[in-house]
Amino acid sequence: MELDKTISIQEILANDIIRKLEYLNCFEFVVIAGGAPRNWLNNKPANDLDFYVKLKPEFNTKKESLGFLLQVILKTEFIELKKEQGYEEFIVFNGTIDGNEIDICVDKSGTLKLEDILVSFDANMSEVAYSKGIFKVTKAFMKGMSNKTIKYTGQSKFGYKQKEYLEKV
């Protein structure tokens, strides 16, 4: 029962953050992808919450001021991570809310699509996104779930190898 409570609390926090970020009305989409939704679908708590956002074109030139805006709307300090700390395709703001590590990953190119995020992980079992109670998965994720197998492509666009972080389902 305690495990279900932890997952439920994380989903409530995730939905609250998504709602607040959508309230800003400057993003085309806001999702959590990778480890958190994968773990929730496997009845495990998330290690962290990684949000992926795409700015609307009219806000794309204001990426640098996002850290301050995130701090105001989410009421916690966010620091911008350096490129060598992980993700290469994104400006990443890191903070902690209620003991949960939060990364807000902002698309640098302005051309990102949700499908691009899903297939950019180097493990099929991370090709999953979540937003407000709805999960979106790839065929490779579904195959991995049904077979309980993990396939590594080694093709991560996020600057690290999932094999180092991903537990066997």
Side-chain angles (χ1 to χ4, degrees):
M1 183 64 177
E2 193 64 33
L3 182 62
D4 290 340
K5 185 177 179 184
T6 300
I7 294 169
S8 177
I9 290 169
Q10 287 180 333
E11 286 186 17
I12 290 168
L13 174 62
N15 289 330
D16 185 52
I17 292 171
I18 290 169
R19 183 183 53 78
K20 288 177 179 175
L21 292 176
E22 287 178 340
Y23 178 78
L24 294 173
N25 200 29
C26 63
F27 300 112
E28 287 189 17
F29 64 78
V30 179
V31 298
I32 300 176
R38 175 200 66 228
N39 284 10
W40 295 339
L41 287 172
N42 285 288
N43 202 32
K44 295 179 181 180
N47 299 325
D48 60 4
L49 302 176
D50 296 332
F51 293 83
Y52 294 86
V53 301
K54 178 181 178 183
L55 285 167
K56 291 179 178 178
E58 61 269 28
F59 294 98
N60 217 26
T61 58
K62 300 180 177 25
K63 291 176 189 154
E64 291 71 28
S65 59
L66 271 176
F68 174 74
L69 193 57
L70 292 171
Q71 291 181 100
V72 170
I73 195 85
L74 298 176
K75 298 183 173 112
T76 194
E77 181 179 0
F78 278 86
I79 59 166
E80 184 177 341
L81 298 181
K82 303 297 178 209
K83 181 178 175 181
E84 62 272 7
Q85 291 175 283
Y87 308 91
E88 296 176 358
E89 303 288 321
F90 302 92
I91 298 171
V92 181
F93 296 96
N94 175 268
T96 302
I97 299 175
D98 298 336
N100 293 279
E101 183 176 343
I102 308 291
D103 284 341
I104 311 285
C105 307
V106 182
D107 172 35
K108 282 184 184 177
S109 69
T111 61
L112 186 74
K113 297 178 185 147
L114 178 56
E115 294 75 23
D116 297 334
I117 294 170
L118 294 177
V119 298
S120 291
F121 290 101
D122 71 350
N124 65 323
M125 293 303 291
S126 293
E127 294 179 1
V128 54
Y130 170 91
S131 184
K132 299 181 287 188
I134 299 171
F135 291 88
K136 180 166 176 75
V137 299
T138 64
K139 289 179 184 176
F141 176 86
M142 291 303 293
K143 185 176 180 180
M145 284 289 284
S146 65
N147 298 338
K148 296 291 183 192
T149 57
I150 300 171
K151 179 180 176 187
Y152 296 99
T153 65
Q155 302 297 318
S156 176
K157 288 187 177 181
F158 298 145
Y160 63 87
K161 300 293 182 223
Q162 296 250 330
K163 195 168 191 173
E164 300 169 15
Y165 299 98
L166 189 60
E167 297 177 81
K168 184 152 176 78
V169 179

